[in-house]
Amino acid sequence: MNAGLTAGDMDLEGNGSDILFRWQQAHVGTYTLRIQLVDVSGDVPLSIGDSLEWIIEVIPTS
């Protein structure tokens, strides 16, 4: 998934910005969520810093 959010879409002043991700119809399994800041102001997108990564495991419930 490429969320395509830009700094112009969020208020990044002060303490930063919270981004809410909602998952619907998550099937049992392991998922990886990776967030990478990218500067797209030039001709070639440039990564900014290291990406953050979370591994999420969806387990069956009864």
Side-chain angles (χ1 to χ4, degrees), residues 26-37:
H27 297 282
V28 172
T30 303
Y31 300 86
T32 301
L33 173 63
R34 181 178 299 120
I35 296 178
Q36 174 69 56
L37 295 176

Side-chain angles (χ1 to χ4, degrees), residues 28-51:
V28 172
T30 303
Y31 300 86
T32 301
L33 173 63
R34 181 178 299 120
I35 296 178
Q36 174 69 56
L37 295 176
V38 178
D39 180 352
V40 295
S41 62
D43 292 335
V44 177
L46 299 172
S47 296
I48 302 171
D50 295 329
S51 62

Side-chain angles (χ1 to χ4, degrees), residues 7-14 16-18:
D9 296 332
M10 300 177 285
D11 179 13
L12 297 178
E13 294 182 24
S17 180
D18 292 331

